[in-house]
Amino acid sequence: MKPSSDTIKLSDIFQKIPQVLPKLPHIASGLSQAYLRGAKTPTGLAVAFEKTAQRFPERPALFFEKQQFSYQKLNQWANQIGHYFLAQGIQKGDVVALMLSNRPEFFASILALAKIGAISALLNTSQSGKVLSHSIRLVQPKAVIVGEEYHAIFDEIRPELHENTVLYWFADTETLKEQGTAPQGYLNLANCAHPFPEFNTTTTKRTHSKDGLFYIYTSGTTGLPKAVIFNHGRWTLAFGTYGHVLNLNQNDVLYAPLPMYHATGIVVCWCGVIAGGAALATRRKYSSSQFWSDVREFDASALGYVGEICRYLLDTPASPQDQQHRVSKMIGNGMRPNIWHTFKQRFAVHEILEMYASSEGNVGFSNLLNFDNTIGFSPTPFAIVQYDQEKNQPIRDAKGFCQPVRKGDVGLLIGKITRRSPFDGYTDAEKNRAAILQDVFKQGDAYFNSGDLVRNLGFRHAQFVDRLGDTFRWKGENVSTAEVEGILCDHPLINEAVVYGVEIPQTNGRAGMASISLATGMTLDQLDLGALWQDLKQALPAYAIPIFLRIQDQLETTSTFKYPKQKLKSQGFDLAQCEDTILVYLPQTQTYAVLSDEIFALIQQYHYRF
């Protein structure tokens, strides 16, 4: 992997200090809330929201389409739902699954369940069939809240649920004004909650750090989804760190068109809003064409993002309106170094608070000092250790202990498991055991294995490099898919690219393969294959040049803007499984050629020595 020019020196830290000083009172307040609490201190989402609602009752809390809710109104609505569920016998630790789009009913329901100590299972609304039923069975909910917009999908798997599961319904309307009619077998939650009181539930004060708040689903690299428990203590830690570093106030609106069933949206973005008494603006589904129109309509001053959204926005035609907004800061993850500067300059965004965390992990980073190309600084105990990718394990010395990498080098990120930074884990005990490294630096210590490769930038800063499952070895070298994707996306004839390793019979390691879409207006017939190979040769080391290119009209993404690499890996360059044109860079040539049935057969017969 190429060395980084982004390592941090002490002089760099000193230069950034004046920018951070105005934030320090807010950051100090956040850290005190995050860390200065006992196991029995009332804490979590509902505690924080009620405090903000008490301080700023009339401030806008949520914008959605033409709807607007103040902190007081959203809190009162959640109280009604909470009191109703208490009357139905829902209690601390019970699970209620939610299948709703990013609309006010979603936020009110989550807040209501947090108030009574119940756990919200945030179903991925892009799931259906056996995957959806699996996700529900994992957490064994007492009830499921279904939005009308997902009724047809949910009804397909309804017979597979436990017969005692209570089904609730929200019509696809402004349900505080028009409740709608629930279909047979469902209770209309808007009608059910309406008669109940608006004052705060007393149960909020009995919610503690270890109590569950969410189940968030993570797909991992293979298999069916896993349910990760996210407790109130972890939410408070995010609230005290990410939330206060963002430094929002009553004049701010954060626009986040992200799927709120994932942590970047529901945890990072929302806690930043609550911490500053600001407003959250969202929409059902991300739209590149409507993005900046929404920003102006909501008068947003901050953005919540994932990296792919930033790339989608850069792919839109440049416009004088690109800078006609008051957005000055962003918070999220996945901003690629190859677009970082371009994005800031084109859209006039001054602060990118890139952060790193995972739903199941115990280590987090945030770009407090606003450096470029970094996931930032971590106050939690972590290490970056040397890793052997051929053996797929950390490198240990003669005494059996791991070795930290040097500044500027890449290694495996691991988070120390302590009382203050525990590993809460999955619902699957076997997966928990696989995620923990024992006796790392001394006998008896334990670290969470993040599965991520990062570069040590110095001064407790890091730069994300790749997932271990994405990085592969070819010609004895480690190939970073993220770095190759960045080079490909920089090419003027390539719009999107996703890179992965595929096996070629009778060769060692995995050869590079990229699924790409061509720039607007470009067709395969117009592509000079020799020139393309020459361009990649100039930009990449020989071992990192993709052997195969799969040409697609548009790359498939999940609802969280991720590419389904496992599917692409399994299909590989097998023409029987791919309807797309595949190009191959054959040995002893200086160009790409179209992969034909004949060439494919010769590759299988080891005619070519890759």
Side-chain angles (χ1 to χ4, degrees), residues 346-382:
R346 175 172 165 182
F347 298 112
V349 178
H350 307 298
E351 182 177 0
I352 297 181
L353 211 166
E354 176 84 359
M355 42 74 64
Y356 170 93
S358 62
S359 299
E360 68 272 34
N362 68 337
V363 60
F365 290 76
S366 60
N367 192 14
L368 168 65
L369 298 179
N370 195 27
F371 284 112
D372 288 339
N373 303 327
T374 174
I375 56 176
F377 166 87
S378 177
T380 54
F382 72 93

Side-chain angles (χ1 to χ4, degrees), residues 202-506:
T202 58
T203 48
T204 302
K205 297 177 181 178
R206 298 195 292 273
T207 303
H208 307 126
S209 293
K210 294 294 184 182
D211 295 330
L213 171 58
F214 305 131
Y215 276 116
I216 295 178
Y217 293 88
T218 175
S219 58
T221 54
T222 60
L224 292 167
K226 300 184 287 289
V228 177
I229 187 65
F230 200 104
N231 62 33
H232 283 272
R234 288 196 65 199
W235 188 92
T236 303
L237 182 61
F239 174 76
T241 52
Y242 301 133
H244 285 72
V245 167
L246 190 54
N247 201 36
L248 300 179
N249 59 42
Q250 72 272 16
N251 299 314
D252 286 310
V253 176
L254 185 144
Y255 177 55
L258 307 174
M260 288 291 163
Y261 51 74
H262 271 297
T264 302
I266 199 63
V267 177
V268 176
C269 293
W270 201 20
C271 77
V273 165
I274 297 169
L280 177 71
T282 189
R283 63 181 290 131
R284 293 175 189 265
K285 190 176 181 181
Y286 167 78
S287 168
S288 293
S289 62
Q290 295 298 311
F291 187 91
W292 293 111
S293 296
D294 284 351
V295 166
R296 284 183 285 273
E297 178 181 345
F298 295 125
D299 194 25
S301 58
L303 302 176
Y305 74 91
V306 292
E308 291 308 310
I309 282 182
C310 301
R311 188 175 57 75
Y312 294 156
L313 292 173
L314 281 174
D315 286 343
T316 61
S319 164
Q321 295 184 327
D322 287 346
Q323 298 189 10
Q324 293 177 5
H325 55 76
R326 68 182 186 108
V327 173
S328 62
K329 60 182 71 174
M330 303 167 58
I331 189 167
N333 54 29
M335 177 77 83
R336 290 179 177 177
N338 67 303
I339 67 170
W340 193 296
H341 294 287
T342 306
F343 191 94
K344 287 178 70 173
Q345 291 173 1
R346 175 172 165 182
F347 298 112
V349 178
H350 307 298
E351 182 177 0
I352 297 181
L353 211 166
E354 176 84 359
M355 42 74 64
Y356 170 93
S358 62
S359 299
E360 68 272 34
N362 68 337
V363 60
F365 290 76
S366 60
N367 192 14
L368 168 65
L369 298 179
N370 195 27
F371 284 112
D372 288 339
N373 303 327
T374 174
I375 56 176
F377 166 87
S378 177
T380 54
F382 72 93
I384 305 171
V385 298
Q386 298 174 27
Y387 192 83
D388 187 328
Q389 292 193 57
E390 290 185 338
K391 295 181 179 179
N392 197 31
Q393 63 186 24
I395 296 172
R396 295 184 181 255
D397 62 16
K399 296 181 179 179
F401 298 128
C402 295
Q403 301 297 301
V405 301
R406 296 173 300 178
K407 182 176 179 178
D409 287 348
V410 172
L412 174 68
L413 174 66
I414 56 177
K416 188 173 184 179
I417 299 173
T418 68
R419 183 174 65 86
R420 289 292 187 185
S421 54
F423 170 58
D424 297 312
Y426 306 101
T427 52
D428 187 327
E430 185 60 34
K431 289 184 172 66
N432 288 337
R433 285 190 288 272
I436 297 175
L437 297 174
Q438 304 282 357
D439 304 327
V440 176
F441 296 112
K442 64 180 182 181
Q443 292 293 328
D445 65 6
Y447 282 74
F448 167 70
N449 180 354
S450 74
D452 290 329
L453 296 175
V454 302
R455 181 173 282 110
N456 177 13
L457 300 184
F459 295 95
R460 299 189 65 79
H461 281 70
Q463 182 181 73
F464 181 82
V465 174
D466 232 330
R467 290 286 300 169
L468 274 176
D470 291 342
T471 303
F472 58 90
R473 284 183 69 82
W474 181 243
K475 302 294 186 183
E477 299 283 354
N478 297 328
V479 180
S480 165
T481 61
E483 292 182 357
V484 178
E485 285 166 0
I487 295 296
L488 292 177
C489 289
D490 277 345
H491 194 283
L493 301 182
I494 296 175
N495 183 33
E496 296 179 277
V498 55
V499 176
Y500 43 96
V502 295
E503 292 184 335
I504 298 177
Q506 302 184 63

Side-chain angles (χ1 to χ4, degrees), residues 115-138:
K115 285 170 177 281
I116 65 176
I119 303 171
S120 299
L122 307 183
L123 297 172
N124 183 327
T125 54
S126 68
Q127 293 177 352
S128 61
K130 69 175 185 179
V131 177
L132 177 60
S133 60
H134 165 83
S135 294
I136 296 173
R137 287 196 303 271
L138 268 180

Side-chain angles (χ1 to χ4, degrees), residues 103-237:
R103 54 187 178 112
E105 290 78 6
F106 179 78
F107 295 95
S109 299
I110 286 175
L111 189 54
L113 294 168
K115 285 170 177 281
I116 65 176
I119 303 171
S120 299
L122 307 183
L123 297 172
N124 183 327
T125 54
S126 68
Q127 293 177 352
S128 61
K130 69 175 185 179
V131 177
L132 177 60
S133 60
H134 165 83
S135 294
I136 296 173
R137 287 196 303 271
L138 268 180
V139 298
Q140 300 180 350
K142 292 285 184 70
V144 184
I145 304 173
V146 181
E148 182 179 1
E149 61 272 31
Y150 298 114
H151 176 228
I153 294 172
F154 183 82
D155 253 19
E156 290 180 0
I157 59 94
R158 184 175 161 188
E160 300 179 38
L161 302 184
H162 192 281
E163 60 181 7
N164 293 330
T165 305
V166 182
L167 303 182
Y168 290 99
W169 166 269
F170 272 124
D172 195 5
T173 63
E174 295 185 34
T175 56
L176 284 181
K177 298 178 180 178
E178 181 184 352
Q179 287 77 31
T181 302
Q184 186 175 2
Y186 293 83
L187 295 173
N188 190 319
L189 188 52
N191 282 336
C192 292
H194 180 70
F196 282 79
E198 295 180 341
F199 57 78
N200 288 336
T201 59
T202 58
T203 48
T204 302
K205 297 177 181 178
R206 298 195 292 273
T207 303
H208 307 126
S209 293
K210 294 294 184 182
D211 295 330
L213 171 58
F214 305 131
Y215 276 116
I216 295 178
Y217 293 88
T218 175
S219 58
T221 54
T222 60
L224 292 167
K226 300 184 287 289
V228 177
I229 187 65
F230 200 104
N231 62 33
H232 283 272
R234 288 196 65 199
W235 188 92
T236 303
L237 182 61

